[in-house]
DNA sequence: TACCGGACTTAGGAACTGCTCT
DNA sequence: AGAGCAGTTCCTAAGTCCGGTA
């Protein structure tokens, strides 16, 4: 049971589509559009300048769904048959109007948006769970639109229809007042955390409305996740021994399971669950195929598409226990074809059953938490001559630790289009800063003061005072100048190092926040400088933890 | 064991905000 | 003061894990 009482105001639906008077032609013939069809055309037009619009599968999928809504004679049209030029014109015009708006108009519009949002949050953004007010995360139903998957998703370009109240199930306490609306179903499932849910027409996946990270229930679970990783770290030697032993097992199935488990422990790879055929072809540890690995004399090379079709390229040097691992892999792929799964009949269930037989509650994903957290802890431990450094250097240092975790978890990002230009600009600015001498004027004043004639005691005193003040001023100016240069230099360095890595995901989901909490306390830098306002709220539970770096650093 | 589907966590990129530098 | 952009939040897709049923 997760709660006793639960009250909320249901969910909000996106506004109905407003007609723009879009006209289209199919094979040269004018075709009238109803509101739904026009909405589809409008959404397509909004995508026209993105790479999606050039994607053949995207075009074909959209055209098919669009054709389904049209008269029978258009059933078999192809993308090239449709003339969207009027829709494109309308979208361009809207964009122009937005850009032509004056500062004041933009500001007024932003303010209006903000006010509306605040009003809606008042009504839908709060729930009362067990007598306490808690924030709701996503209280709005997903708007209709063109499905954009990641990688080669077979459904990309298809139309995701509008969700209405009758599609939605609300989860409320028995005592709660049912919010007004034509809801599909009301349930009182106090074993669940969701407030509302519906099944997505297109993907046939269940969608949910959840509480925000700030809710007590969420905080407890987040802490429990990191506690699991702590438990794993305490038992890691035992686990490793068992896996290494079982990799040599005579029972081929046990050996296979142990080999996948070693892979996960060694690389922080995801376990790799079963997938639907109408999803992008991505893999994890248990679903790796022969074509994804290459074994050389003393390495194992991995190259495959993982979650979100992010490429995972890694070379594992086979040393120590890795030798057995390498041997097992070699044997496993021996008589297989490139498309064959390396671990054949092994699934995530086998892996998790095996792990939890060693440590209760242990599953594959805990390894990613454990490995990312350990990475950060060890990096900070090994680079501990930091206390005398500036706050900028300390934070830079923490971010390098964060980067280690991101690399471990393979949190890659596409390099931003403006990356090179932005970096060059920073380099140029740094060069200019080096040339600047903002203390020069003060220096001149100092020289003048020094040359000043002073006869009486009062004059001498006055002169000395002036010289002292100017010297102090110069010192301050120089400090400020060098700090500015230092800050920019560190920024440049970090942006080069994190070029294609995304630090946010590991910070949010994998690194035990108590590590950075203890470390920032230890070295005297603000914890808040590492975590955004939203993350500070997510990790509110950390505030009640007594964490000492000296204790954490012991193991 | 195979398969299905529900519940919950993790994920990258788009959209937006607000801060810094000129 | 205003532009430009870095940092942050939002969005929702895509995973993990597990219970249930045949």
């Amino acid at each position: 049971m997760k709660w006793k009482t639960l009250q909320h105001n249901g969910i909000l639906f996106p506004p109905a589509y407003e007609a723009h008077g879009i006209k289209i032609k199919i094979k040269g013939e004018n075709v009238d559009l109803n509101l739904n069809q026009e909405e589809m055309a409008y959404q397509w037009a909004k995508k026209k300048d993105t790479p999606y619009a050039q994607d053949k599968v995207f075009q074909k999928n959209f055209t098919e769904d669009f054709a389904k809504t049209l008269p029978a004679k258009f059933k078999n049209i192809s993308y090239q048959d449709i003339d969207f030029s009027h829709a494109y014109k309308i979208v361009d015009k809207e964009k122009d109007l937005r850009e032509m708006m004056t500062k004041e108009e933009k500001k007024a519009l932003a303010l209006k948006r903000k006010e509306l949002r605040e009003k809606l949050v008042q009504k839908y953004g709060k729930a009362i769970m067990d007598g306490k007010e808690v924030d709701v995360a996503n209280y709005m139903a997903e708007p209709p639109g063109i499905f954009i998957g990641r990688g080669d998703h077979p459904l990309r370009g298809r139309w995701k229809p509008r969700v209405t109240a009758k599609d939605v199930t609300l989860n409320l306490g028995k005592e709660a007042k049912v919010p007004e609306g034509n809801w599909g179903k009301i349930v009182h499932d106090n074993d669940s955390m969701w407030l509302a849910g519906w099944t997505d027409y297109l993907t046939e996946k269940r969608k949910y409305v959840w509480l925000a990270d700030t809710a007590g229930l969420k905080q407890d679970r987040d802490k429990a996740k990191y506690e699991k990783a702590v438990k794993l770290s305490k038992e890691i030697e035992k686990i490793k021994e068992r896996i290494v032993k079982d990799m040599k097992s005579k029972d081929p199935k046990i050996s296979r399971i142990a080999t996948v488990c070693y892979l996960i422990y060694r690389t922080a790879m995801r376990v790799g669950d079963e997938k639907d055929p109408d999803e992008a072809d991505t893999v994890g540890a248990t679903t790796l195929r022969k074509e994804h690995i290459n074994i050389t004399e003393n390495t194992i090379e991995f190259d495959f598409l993982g979650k979100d079709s992010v490429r995972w390229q890694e070379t594992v040097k086979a040393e120590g226990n890795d030798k057995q691992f390498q041997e097992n892999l070699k044997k496993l792929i021996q008589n297989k074809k490139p498309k064959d799964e390396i671990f054949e009949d092994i699934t995530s269930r086998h892996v998790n059953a095996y792990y939890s037989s060693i440590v209760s509650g242990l599953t594959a994903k805990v390894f990613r938490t454990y490995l990312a957290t350990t990475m950060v802890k060890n990096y900070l431990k090994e680079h501990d001559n930091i206390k005398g450094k500036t706050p900028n250097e300390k934070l830079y240092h923490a971010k390098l630790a964060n980067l280690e975790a991101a690399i471990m978890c393979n949190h890659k990002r596409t390099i931003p289009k403006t990356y090179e230009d932005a970096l060059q600009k920073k380099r140029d600015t740094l060069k200019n800063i080096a040339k600047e001498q903002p203390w020069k004027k003060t220096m001149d004043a100092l020289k003048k003061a020094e040359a000043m004639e002073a006869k009486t005691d009062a004059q001498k005193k006055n002169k000395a005072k002036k010289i002292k003040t100017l010297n102090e001023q110069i010192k301050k100016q120089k400090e400020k100048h060098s700090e500015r240069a230092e800050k920019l230099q560190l920024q440049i360095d970090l942006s080069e190092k994190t070029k294609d890595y995304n630090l946010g995901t590991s910070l949010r989901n994998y690194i035990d926040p108590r590590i950075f909490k203890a470390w920032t306390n230890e070295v005297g830098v603000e914890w808040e400088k590492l975590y955004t306002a939203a993350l500070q709220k997510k990790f509110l539970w950390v505030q009640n933890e007594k964490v000492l770096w000296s204790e954490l650093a012991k193991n």
Side-chain angles (χ1 to χ4, degrees):
Chain A
M1 204 180 71
K2 298 211 168 68
W3 47 264
K4 288 195 180 95
T5 65
L6 174 63
Q7 168 77 64
H8 58 82
N9 290 328
I11 66 168
L12 182 66
F13 295 92
Y17 172 75
E18 271 178 53
H20 290 70
I22 291 173
K23 308 262 182 275
I24 63 155
K25 284 180 186 173
I26 298 177
K27 295 179 175 170
E29 182 186 336
N30 288 321
V31 180
D32 286 336
L33 299 178
N34 63 30
L35 211 56
N36 175 54
Q37 291 161 342
E38 192 188 309
E39 183 172 24
M40 290 176 83
Y42 178 70
Q43 290 296 341
W44 178 262
K46 288 235 270 189
K47 294 273 179 292
K48 76 186 177 71
D49 296 321
T50 69
Y52 303 116
Q54 309 306 318
D55 176 342
K56 292 279 176 276
V57 178
F58 203 83
Q59 293 172 353
K60 182 170 167 283
N61 280 341
F62 177 78
T63 307
E64 276 175 20
D65 278 355
F66 191 47
K68 277 178 209 158
T69 72
L70 297 168
K73 63 174 173 177
F74 298 125
K75 278 290 169 274
N76 296 315
I77 53 167
S78 67
Y79 174 66
Q80 275 71 22
D81 296 331
I82 317 172
D83 178 355
F84 285 113
S85 54
H86 181 244
Y88 292 169
K89 219 180 269 170
I90 283 177
V91 165
D92 281 340
K93 201 171 162 195
E94 280 186 341
K95 199 179 162 204
D96 287 347
L97 281 174
R98 262 199 314 276
E99 277 167 8
M100 272 161 48
M101 275 198 303
T102 64
K103 290 277 114 40
E104 292 74 31
E105 285 172 324
K106 278 183 187 167
K107 226 175 179 175
L109 196 68
L111 186 70
K112 219 172 159 187
R113 263 206 307 261
K114 199 176 170 187
E115 280 170 358
L116 178 65
R117 202 169 47 226
E118 274 161 10
K119 201 178 115 199
L120 295 173
V121 167
Q122 279 302 321
K123 173 148 188 211
Y124 297 97
K126 319 261 175 203
I128 299 166
M129 183 176 272
D130 294 338
K132 267 195 198 151
E133 187 179 272
V134 285
D135 289 341
V136 178
N138 54 323
Y139 53 80
M140 173 116 75
E142 292 172 13
I146 300 173
F147 178 83
I148 299 189
R150 315 240 167 97
D152 286 342
H153 199 297
L155 301 182
R156 65 194 189 274
R158 290 201 52 192
W159 185 251
K160 190 172 94 167
R162 187 174 284 270
V163 179
T164 64
K166 67 173 183 4
D167 302 318
V168 175
T169 301
L170 295 186
N171 192 16
L172 290 158
K174 281 206 174 91
E175 75 297 337
K177 198 176 106 219
V178 176
E180 210 175 296
N182 189 20
W183 309 108
K185 207 173 158 192
I186 304 293
V187 298
H188 313 287
D189 179 4
N190 65 0
D191 204 28
S192 282
M193 292 163 67
W194 53 272
L195 307 184
W198 68 92
T199 301
D200 186 293
Y201 280 111
L202 177 65
T203 61
E204 296 181 315
K205 296 234 183 325
R206 198 87 190 140
K207 300 291 179 85
Y208 298 92
V209 171
W210 304 103
L211 292 180
D213 293 334
T214 46
L217 187 54
K218 285 278 207 176
Q219 299 261 316
D220 293 346
R221 294 175 64 97
D222 203 38
K223 184 181 171 189
K225 175 182 82 180
Y226 291 109
E227 283 304 317
K228 265 192 181 181
V230 169
K231 191 171 166 193
L232 167 56
S233 74
K234 285 184 179 145
E235 307 269 14
I236 192 68
E237 286 308 317
K238 178 175 128 190
I239 295 163
K240 193 164 58 178
E241 268 168 39
R242 172 77 184 277
I243 294 174
V244 169
K245 188 186 110 211
D246 283 344
M247 278 204 294
K248 300 172 199 150
S249 170
K250 292 263 173 7
D251 182 335
K253 190 157 183 184
I254 290 180
S255 163
R256 276 202 294 279
I257 293 171
T259 308
V260 190
C261 288
Y262 188 84
L263 173 61
I264 290 167
Y265 152 76
R266 183 71 175 73
T267 65
M269 215 173 266
R270 297 183 188 87
V271 66
D273 243 6
E274 307 296 317
K275 297 195 67 181
D276 275 350
D278 63 353
E279 293 174 324
D281 174 25
T282 62
V283 299
T286 62
T287 47
L288 277 176
R289 301 187 290 261
K290 184 180 177 177
E291 61 185 347
H292 296 130
I293 71 167
N294 180 35
I295 300 176
T296 70
E297 178 70 23
N298 40 36
T299 69
I300 308 135
E301 297 164 2
F302 296 91
D303 190 347
F304 61 94
L305 295 184
K307 181 176 180 180
D308 295 313
S309 294
V310 171
R311 191 171 177 190
W312 190 308
Q313 262 180 305
E314 181 175 9
T315 300
V316 173
K317 273 194 202 142
E319 295 162 342
N321 288 326
D322 305 339
K323 274 286 164 204
Q324 182 66 51
F325 172 59
Q326 186 193 29
E327 273 314 301
N328 287 10
L329 284 176
K330 221 184 255 176
K331 255 182 242 159
L332 283 167
I333 62 171
Q334 220 166 40
N335 296 312
K336 290 201 167 83
K337 294 181 214 108
K339 296 273 177 208
D340 290 343
E341 280 189 4
I342 300 170
F343 302 102
E344 297 175 72
D345 53 349
I346 309 302
T347 68
S348 57
R349 260 182 217 254
H350 294 103
V351 169
N352 289 335
Y354 178 87
Y355 280 142
S356 54
S357 77
I358 312 173
V359 171
S360 89
L362 182 59
T363 61
K365 83 194 259 290
V366 184
F367 279 82
R368 281 169 70 77
T369 316
Y370 159 73
L371 288 166
T373 296
T374 305
M375 211 65 179
V376 169
K377 191 161 108 181
N378 287 343
Y379 186 91
L380 294 175
K381 228 160 68 178
E382 285 159 18
H383 301 76
D384 57 358
N385 55 337
I386 196 88
K387 279 198 179 163
K389 304 276 175 75
T390 65
N392 280 336
E393 283 171 310
K394 287 172 185 168
L395 289 170
Y396 166 76
H397 200 70
K399 283 178 182 168
L400 289 189
N402 188 350
L403 174 62
E404 293 294 312
I407 293 170
M408 181 97 230
C409 293
N410 198 49
H411 291 142
K412 292 270 195 177
R413 63 160 182 176
T414 47
I415 300 165
K417 281 195 287 289
T418 54
Y419 173 80
E420 279 303 333
D421 288 350
L423 188 63
Q424 193 51 49
K425 225 176 201 169
K426 276 187 203 156
R427 285 189 185 121
D428 293 345
T429 312
L430 186 63
K431 261 187 208 160
N432 288 333
I433 290 176
K435 276 185 221 154
E436 282 168 19
Q437 294 188 320
W439 55 85
K440 210 156 182 192
K441 268 188 188 164
T442 326
M443 202 81 113
D444 290 343
L446 178 67
K447 274 177 196 157
K448 222 166 152 189
E450 278 169 346
M452 207 161 72
E453 215 175 301
K455 281 177 188 157
T456 66
D457 275 1
Q459 280 174 335
K460 279 178 188 165
K461 208 173 162 188
N462 192 25
K463 183 180 170 181
K465 198 176 160 193
K466 203 163 188 182
I467 290 173
K468 197 183 162 206
T469 314
L470 287 168
N471 268 321
E472 273 166 11
Q473 237 177 55
I474 291 169
K475 198 180 159 202
K476 262 187 205 156
Q477 284 167 336
K478 284 192 174 173
E479 256 169 31
K480 201 178 162 193
H481 179 255
S482 85
E483 249 176 59
R484 206 173 138 219
E486 178 207 67
K487 193 175 173 186
L488 192 57
Q489 178 60 62
L490 292 174
Q491 231 176 57
I492 290 171
D493 211 52
L494 197 69
S495 113
E496 282 170 337
K497 289 192 163 98
T498 61
K499 181 177 174 177
D500 55 349
Y501 282 97
N502 170 3
L503 306 197
T505 304
S506 49
L507 192 65
R508 186 180 196 286
N509 299 302
Y510 287 104
I511 301 162
D512 190 327
R514 291 171 295 193
I515 299 291
F516 276 135
K517 180 85 193 176
W519 182 81
T520 51
N521 274 341
E522 173 74 11
V523 304
V525 67
E526 287 170 86
W527 187 76
E528 289 80 2
K529 285 267 161 67
L530 277 179
Y531 293 90
T532 65
L535 282 189
Q536 288 170 36
K537 280 197 219 155
K538 177 182 159 87
F539 295 135
L540 216 53
W541 59 272
V542 176
Q543 307 294 342
N544 306 319
E545 301 271 305
K546 42 180 191 324
V547 281
L548 267 181
W549 179 247
S550 56
E551 287 297 316
L552 286 175
K554 272 184 201 159
N555 38 64

